[in-house]
Amino acid sequence: MTRTKRTFLCFFAVATLFAWAADTPKRPRLVLAIVIDQFRYDYLQRFRQDYNSGLKRMLEQGAVFTDAHYLHAATVTAVGHSTFLSGATPSVSGIIANEWYDRESNQSVTSVFDPKSKLVGGVPGAAGSSPRRLLVSTIGDEIKMHGLESHSIGVSIKDRSAILPVGHMADAAYWYDPDSNHWVTSTYYYAELPGWVRKLNDENRYQRYLGAKWLPFDAKDDSAKPFCSMVAGSEVRFCGGLEATPWGNEMIEEFAERAISSEELGRHAGVDILAVSFSSNDYVGHAVGPDDPAVRDISIRTDRLLGKLLDYVDGQVGKGNTLVVLTADHGVAPVPEVNEARKMPGGRLSEVLLSRKMTDALTKRFGPGKWFLPSPATMPYLNLELIKTRKLDPDEVERVAAQAASTEDHIARVYTRHDLLAGQVQRDDIGRAVSLGFYGPRSGDLVILQEPYYLFEATGTSHGTPYDYDTHVPMIFMGSRIKARSYPERVAVNDIAPTLAAILQIQEPAGSVGRVLSEMLEP
Ligand SMILES: [Zn+2]
């Protein structure tokens, strides 16, 4: 080969390499993954005029999916947070509820309860939490398994909301311990809190809010009517705790800023992850419902807080280096009494009556006995020991209990374990949502669903159904390769993880069932 030829080939190889590098988009330095707990999609529309900060910026500069839903029926915190960055349904991730009856250890367990770990930074010796019950990988796990240098951190008031989005290989998850008023973690991550977290705890910033009143965001002075007070027994509604006020979110945001600066997030060679879950919206929403002015107020304050966080990230990581994704873990139903007053359906049901109806039917047919293990009436666990000693057919016992439950007023559907495992369910969206929420080794023996707008709670409101007010949530992406506009097609929250995997050029998480939202990506 002549020298010229070799030079030419060499030039060609380098040129090809450059062309390839130009074709491969640059990865963001930081993924800022945000969940607002119990933030219904329609809060973006109802309070739009009042947003002038973070939510406004995301709505104007982001890809806004206006019809994003969860695929699963059990729309609760743990399940939403485990779906967020895994793309998995509970039928694969194993996170079927906030808590369930664990037949192996014969006790109720939470989604993150881990007796092998201990709490770090709170009450000494208290049991810790970890992602061990999550059966699949997350985006954070896949970044690390890809071999990229990455720091990933989760933070929230709730342990499950801090732990589940970031997954198994996270550097740390931090949550708030109301007993000690400290940010805590568990021995799964660290034997001791990092210095910067200890320092933040030592500042005792919660003391700012002792005895405070939550006034409307635009109150001119103290004469405005407060939404709640941190002092119990006053004329004003008792807030219940710091977590149930906008100050809970403020403490989370403050922690997120400290994490970014102390852990130098967005300044490592690969891609860092900061998952922030704002919990206070959920506590407030449960107490007063979606139509109360307090929910509007905390939504507006969330807009301001998000703006503060986005500005801070821009300053620390540099504009254009961060990919922001925002969603909620579930929606919420209206308060039944509010619905009743406006001629809408709905009301309150009793778990005690439902349980009694099933127990009576089983007693009548098979004789008296402790037929159920401690479990919610809407996902009961049968006493398999008793069924075995009486030499009964579990399928038949399920059927008798299901038949009894289905005759209770305002029960829409009852599914048995047998039917769900055999795939014998009504082939519509609700049948599919219940099936996707069912994981044989962990789920109960019946899944009982009430009619829309009916609740088993005695006060306030809740969520946890496959109805649209619970499944429809915001879903917004913002970053350098994202085409900013509104996307009206129906998508699933499960599409977030595969889309992030495509942007980051890494393996999709193990249980991901979503699709890449290629319509919003610049080529
Ligand atoms: Zn909730």
Side-chain angles (χ1 to χ4, degrees):
M1 204 185 288
T2 65
R3 199 189 162 121
T4 342
K5 246 187 193 163
R6 210 177 313 148
T7 313
F8 175 76
L9 276 179
C10 191
F11 170 78
F12 185 73
V14 171
T16 314
L17 193 71
F18 270 109
W20 178 81
D23 279 342
T24 310
K26 204 171 106 230
R27 291 187 177 100
R29 308 293 297 272
L30 174 70
V31 174
L32 178 62
I34 296 167
V35 177
I36 312 174
D37 203 314
Q38 201 192 104
F39 197 89
R40 286 166 51 126
Y41 171 75
D42 67 345
Y43 294 171
L44 289 179
Q45 301 167 313
R46 288 165 84 173
F47 316 132
R48 178 69 182 86
Q49 279 70 28
D50 297 304
Y51 298 146
N52 64 18
S53 189
L55 287 171
K56 177 177 194 269
R57 182 172 155 193
M58 291 207 65
L59 287 167
E60 288 175 357
Q61 298 174 24
V64 183
F65 289 85
T66 57
D67 198 23
H69 291 257
Y70 281 100
L71 299 176
H72 54 258
T75 43
V76 298
T77 297
V79 186
H81 282 80
S82 60
T83 303
F84 179 33
L85 298 181
S86 77
T89 56
S91 54
V92 180
S93 73
I95 304 299
I96 54 162
N98 284 333
E99 51 183 71
W100 57 84
Y101 190 83
D102 179 34
R103 290 200 184 269
E104 221 167 284
S105 61
N106 291 314
Q107 59 179 332
S108 285
V109 296
T110 76
S111 60
V112 289
F113 171 68
D114 179 5
K116 286 198 200 118
S117 75
K118 290 270 171 280
L119 203 64
V120 173
V123 180
S129 307
S130 85
R132 284 198 174 104
R133 291 174 205 274
L134 177 69
L135 304 177
V136 295
S137 64
T138 63
I139 283 293
D141 294 331
E142 294 295 343
I143 291 174
K144 293 204 173 189
M145 288 196 282
H146 191 90
L148 292 168
E149 190 198 344
S150 169
H151 269 49
S152 72
I153 288 180
V155 59
S156 180
I157 293 279
K158 303 177 183 178
D159 55 359
R160 54 188 180 271
S161 310
I163 291 169
L164 294 170
V166 282
H168 305 274
M169 293 176 71
D171 292 84
Y174 300 97
W175 56 96
Y176 198 73
D177 173 38
D179 294 333
S180 60
N181 280 304
H182 277 175
W183 289 104
V184 295
T185 186
S186 85
T187 51
Y188 177 85
Y189 304 100
Y190 283 127
E192 257 182 65
L193 284 176
W196 65 268
V197 182
R198 273 206 311 273
K199 183 171 173 292
L200 183 59
N201 281 340
D202 288 345
E203 290 172 26
N204 286 324
R205 302 180 78 87
Y206 71 94
Q207 289 179 344
R208 285 175 288 183
Y209 310 114
L210 298 174
K213 285 185 187 134
W214 170 15
L215 296 169
F217 79 101
D218 52 358
K220 302 273 179 300
D221 52 55
D222 286 5
S223 64
K225 188 172 174 277
F227 294 116
C228 68
S229 161
M230 290 295 284
V231 182
S234 69
E235 276 180 15
V236 182
R237 179 176 74 85
F238 176 46
C239 301
L242 200 54
E243 66 276 12
T245 70
W247 309 312
N249 281 351
E250 286 178 21
M251 294 188 52
I252 295 168
E253 196 276 335
E254 185 172 54
F255 189 97
E257 285 192 15
R258 295 282 180 103
I260 292 165
S261 58
S262 308
E263 301 280 341
E264 305 194 310
L265 298 181
R267 279 179 270 159
H268 296 97
V271 184
D272 293 343
I273 292 211
L274 177 61
V276 183
S277 173
F278 291 110
S279 312
S280 297
N281 307 67
D282 182 65
Y283 291 100
V284 173
H286 274 290
V288 301
D291 302 296
D292 191 275
V295 165
R296 173 178 169 269
D297 194 87
I298 196 170
S299 300
I300 296 166
R301 288 169 181 269
T302 305
D303 163 69
R304 308 297 193 265
L305 210 51
L306 184 63
K308 184 169 184 290
L309 182 59
L310 293 177
D311 286 346
Y312 187 81
V313 168
D314 281 347
Q316 294 286 311
V317 187
K319 257 199 160 115
N321 289 327
T322 304
L323 176 64
V324 188
V325 54
L326 177 143
T327 190
D329 54 347
H330 52 73
V332 72
V335 172
E337 290 73 26
V338 171
N339 252 16
E340 204 181 328
R342 59 192 179 192
K343 301 188 191 173
M344 284 289 290
R348 296 194 186 274
L349 306 174
S350 158
E351 285 206 28
V352 177
L353 293 182
L354 179 61
S355 279
R356 194 179 299 156
K357 196 144 198 176
M358 291 188 283
T359 302
D360 287 352
L362 292 172
T363 303
K364 196 172 161 211
R365 178 75 173 273
F366 305 112
K370 189 175 165 289
W371 287 104
F372 293 105
L373 301 171
S375 45
T378 49
M379 191 177 71
Y381 289 71
L382 284 163
N383 183 348
L384 299 182
E385 287 291 311
L386 182 65
I387 291 172
K388 207 169 150 194
T389 25
R390 302 248 175 115
K391 297 194 172 62
L392 300 170
D393 172 13
D395 291 354
E396 198 190 346
V397 178
E398 279 174 19
R399 270 199 304 277
V400 171
Q403 175 59 31
S406 64
T407 61
E408 188 71 8
D409 285 348
H410 306 296
I411 294 302
R413 302 183 189 207
V414 183
Y415 298 88
T416 65
R417 161 176 290 272
H418 174 88
D419 289 346
L420 285 162
L421 288 179
Q424 293 165 354
V425 297
Q426 198 173 323
R427 287 173 196 274
D428 64 354
D429 285 350
I430 289 176
R432 183 164 170 261
V434 172
S435 300
L436 291 175
F438 191 84
Y439 179 60
R442 287 184 187 169
S443 291
D445 297 301
L446 299 174
V447 178
I448 300 172
L449 176 65
Q450 68 270 34
E451 292 170 359
Y453 301 117
Y454 281 86
L455 294 177
F456 281 96
E457 284 70 18
T459 58
T461 186
S462 199
H463 47 85
T465 74
Y467 301 125
D468 286 55
Y469 49 76
D470 282 343
T471 62
H472 188 193
V473 291
M475 196 164 118
I476 311 179
F477 294 79
M478 187 173 76
S480 59
R481 275 188 68 203
I482 311 295
K483 282 189 242 173
R485 74 168 175 88
S486 164
Y487 298 81
E489 296 79 19
R490 189 155 178 136
V491 295
V493 178
N494 305 65
D495 299 336
I496 292 175
T499 302
L500 293 179
I503 295 172
L504 302 176
Q505 305 141 55
I506 54 167
Q507 173 67 37
E508 276 187 20
S512 166
V513 297
R515 71 171 178 90
V516 177
L517 299 162
S518 55
E519 61 271 37
M520 71 158 199
L521 296 179
E522 300 279 6

